[in-house]
């Protein structure tokens, strides 16, 4: 590339011998400046604690005590947010000095208030049932999960063995979308969400005007939904029901001929126009363009809360919820009356989380657009 550039610059004339040296010096200067700038950014982030790996430990025993002692000399790299144990009455006397923040339920609650990067389960292998129970409870948390225990004699693939500081651990679960994958998905959301929002502005304006003309009340409807990392957020939708008949917590699912829906609202729901304000949620960062659909806290199937029907339901919250998703383009959208319908939705959502890629997001977007076009044409 350098030789081609030199010949292009001199337009066929014999290039000066000094050009390669100038090019090398300039390249070296740019590289050094880039590395110095990057070093300053990393140093600034370290001072802010942004690069510190925050760890929560489950279990108080000799394994966790050894783990904590070895981490003590890793200042600036790891920070233990707390130690948790459901069986505090069984803690050995020589380990009573370890401060316990609570049980696993308290860890679940803490994860919604603070950042936790790693979960370390410190339990002996003879407590296999308890390990599986704890791992099941932690399955919906957005963190990498490791096991520190008596690993002698166990068979694991090489990639599962790793270390946290000086502690050998076994990786038993990773965040589904992290590091550069998370950066790429965030950029994809902002670019696609912003572009679609600009393109849909005329539709948004027309829908807002029709809502105001059709019935009294606000144009937008804000509803609490369970989102990323099991945290609540307010979702934006166009109001499709009469004021005073809205159901914030979704104690009663909306049916096809629901009398609470306005005339304009019925049309907005038919063509999914009521979902367009969720593009603002995407730009705010609490939703993605593509992901599992978020539900209100009291949504039910067959008169049972979703989490009571499907044990792995909360695992969907390990990624940001989306405006459209893999379950929706495979026909599982609208009402969820039966347990079978919910099982199918969750199955497709978990498949999406496991197989995520930008290519899959693009495929889902294309299928969503084609579905809406078919719906409009049928009308």
């Amino acid at each position: 590339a350098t030789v081609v550039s030199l010949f292009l610059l001199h337009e066929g004339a014999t290039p000066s011998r000094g050009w390669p040296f100038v090019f090398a010096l300039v390249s070296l200067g740019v590289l050094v400046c880039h590395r110095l700038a990057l070093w300053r950014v990393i140093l600034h982030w370290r001072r802010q604690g942004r690069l510190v790996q925050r760890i929560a430990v489950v279990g108080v025993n000799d394994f966790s005590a050894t783990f904590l002692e070895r981490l003590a000399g890793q200042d600036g790299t790891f920070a233990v947010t707390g130690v948790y144990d459901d069986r505090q009455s069984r803690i050995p006397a020589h380990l009573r000095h370890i401060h316990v923040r609570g049980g696993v339920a308290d860890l679940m609650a803490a994860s919604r208030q603070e950042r936790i990067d790693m979960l370390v389960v410190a339990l002996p292998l003879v407590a296999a049932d308890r390990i599986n129970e704890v791992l099941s409870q932690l399955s919906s948390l957005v963190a990498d999960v490791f096991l520190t225990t008596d690993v002698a004699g166990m068979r694991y693939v090489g990639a599962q063995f790793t270390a946290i500081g000086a502690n050998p651990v076994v990786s038993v679960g990773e965040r589904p979308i992290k590091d550069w994958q998370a950066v790429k998905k965030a950029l994809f959301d902002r670019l696609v969400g912003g572009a679609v929002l600009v393109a849909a502005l005329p539709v948004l304006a027309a829908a807002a005007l029709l809502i105001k003309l059709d019935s009294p009340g606000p144009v937008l409807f804000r509803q609490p939904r369970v989102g990323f990392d099991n945290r609540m957020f307010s979702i934006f939708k166009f109001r499709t029901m009469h004021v005073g008949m809205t159901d914030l917590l979704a104690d009663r699912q909306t049916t096809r001929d629901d009398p609470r829906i306005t005339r304009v609202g019925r049309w907005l729901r038919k063509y999914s126009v009521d979902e367009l304000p969720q593009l603002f949620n995407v730009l705010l960062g609490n939703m993605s363009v593509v992901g599992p659909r978020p539900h209100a806290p009291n949504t039910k199937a067959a008169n049972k809360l979703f989490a009571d029907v499907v044990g792995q339901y909360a695992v969907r919250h390990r990624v940001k919820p989306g405006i459209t998703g893999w379950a929706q383009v495979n026909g599982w959208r609208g009402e969820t009356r039966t347990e079978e319908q919910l099982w199918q939705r969750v199955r497709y959502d978990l498949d999406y989380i496991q197989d995520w890629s930008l290519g899959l997001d693009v495929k889902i977007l294309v299928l969503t657009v084609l579905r809406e076009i078919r719906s409009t044409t049928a009308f």
Side-chain angles (χ1 to χ4, degrees):
T2 305
V3 174
V4 172
S5 301
L6 289 175
F7 277 103
L8 290 176
L9 287 171
H10 288 268
E11 298 180 351
T14 303
S16 169
R17 293 182 179 180
W19 270 103
F21 298 101
V22 172
F23 179 82
L25 287 174
V26 171
S27 299
L28 179 61
V30 171
L31 181 62
V32 170
C33 290
H34 174 265
R35 293 298 174 89
L36 286 174
L38 183 59
W39 177 77
R40 287 180 65 87
V41 170
I42 293 175
L43 184 63
H44 178 65
W45 284 352
R46 289 195 65 176
R47 288 172 179 170
Q48 289 183 324
R50 296 174 64 179
L51 299 182
V52 174
Q53 295 290 298
R54 295 171 57 83
I55 303 173
V57 179
V58 178
V60 180
N61 48 49
D62 291 331
F63 299 122
S64 58
T66 302
F67 182 87
L68 294 171
E69 288 173 6
R70 288 175 175 172
L71 278 190
Q74 301 287 327
D75 294 339
T77 305
F78 302 100
V80 177
T81 64
V83 180
Y84 301 84
D85 198 317
D86 283 333
R87 304 180 180 184
Q88 298 180 38
S89 61
R90 301 187 183 185
I91 296 176
H94 69 285
L95 298 178
R96 293 291 172 85
H97 64 281
I98 297 177
H99 175 67
V100 181
R101 289 185 62 179
V104 176
D106 298 299
L107 169 57
M108 300 287 289
S111 71
R112 301 185 184 101
Q113 306 298 326
E114 57 191 75
R115 190 188 94 233
I116 297 176
D117 302 304
M118 299 179 181
L119 298 169
V120 175
V121 179
L123 293 171
L125 287 180
V126 292
D129 291 340
R130 189 178 171 206
I131 290 175
N132 288 328
E133 179 184 348
V134 170
L135 292 178
S136 177
Q137 289 177 274
L138 301 176
S139 62
S140 65
L141 297 190
V142 184
D144 295 326
V145 183
F146 300 93
L147 183 66
T148 178
T149 182
D150 44 346
V151 296
M154 296 179 63
R155 293 184 178 181
Y156 287 100
V157 297
Q160 287 182 267
F161 282 105
T162 183
I164 298 178
N167 293 288
V169 293
V170 177
S171 174
V172 292
E174 291 187 346
R175 286 170 286 175
I177 303 176
K178 64 177 185 177
D179 301 331
W180 284 111
Q181 289 182 328
V183 172
K184 289 190 292 185
K185 186 164 177 63
L187 289 174
F188 178 82
D189 286 336
R190 297 302 194 280
L191 292 174
V192 174
V196 174
L197 181 61
V198 171
L201 281 177
V203 178
L204 290 167
L209 178 61
L210 289 172
I211 292 171
K212 293 299 291 184
L213 293 175
D214 182 54
S215 62
V219 169
L220 291 179
F221 171 60
R222 297 176 62 180
Q223 185 182 44
R225 297 284 179 99
V226 183
F228 181 64
D229 203 10
N230 298 293
R231 298 176 184 176
M232 301 296 294
F233 74 100
S234 292
I235 196 171
F236 299 113
K237 299 183 70 174
F238 279 128
R239 180 177 59 84
T240 58
M241 291 187 178
H242 294 285
V243 173
M245 295 185 179
T246 54
D247 185 4
L248 279 179
L249 300 181
D251 290 296
R252 171 186 168 190
Q253 280 202 55
T254 307
T255 58
R256 182 180 296 274
D257 299 318
D258 201 312
R260 297 173 296 172
I261 301 176
T262 64
R263 291 174 300 174
V264 170
R266 203 170 303 281
W267 179 83
L268 295 177
R269 284 174 173 268
K270 180 178 177 62
Y271 299 106
S272 302
V273 177
D274 63 317
E275 310 283 359
L276 287 179
Q278 291 166 38
L279 292 167
F280 292 107
N281 287 111
V282 173
L283 298 182
L284 288 172
N286 46 38
M287 284 186 69
S288 288
V289 175
V290 178
R293 286 293 297 158
H295 301 128
N298 293 349
T299 312
K300 301 179 181 68
N303 293 319
K304 296 180 182 178
L305 293 173
F306 281 1
D308 294 334
V309 176
V310 181
Q312 289 186 298
Y313 173 76
V315 178
R316 303 165 68 258
H317 304 143
R318 299 191 74 201
V319 299
K320 288 183 180 181
I323 298 177
T324 185
W326 188 229
Q328 282 64 46
V329 298
N330 279 282
W332 300 102
R333 63 190 296 259
E335 299 176 52
T336 308
R337 296 180 178 179
T338 67
E339 294 186 13
E340 174 62 21
Q341 289 174 318
L342 179 60
W343 274 102
Q344 291 296 339
R345 281 196 177 195
V346 173
R347 180 172 71 86
Y348 278 102
D349 287 337
L350 297 184
D351 286 345
Y352 167 80
I353 293 172
Q354 180 177 345
D355 301 331
W356 178 84
S357 68
L358 280 182
L360 180 57
D361 276 4
V362 172
K363 177 180 179 179
I364 292 171
L365 278 180
V366 172
L367 291 174
T368 300
V369 172
L370 293 176
R371 183 196 68 199
E372 296 301 328
I373 290 174
R374 287 196 297 268
S375 176
T376 303
T377 304
F379 178 76

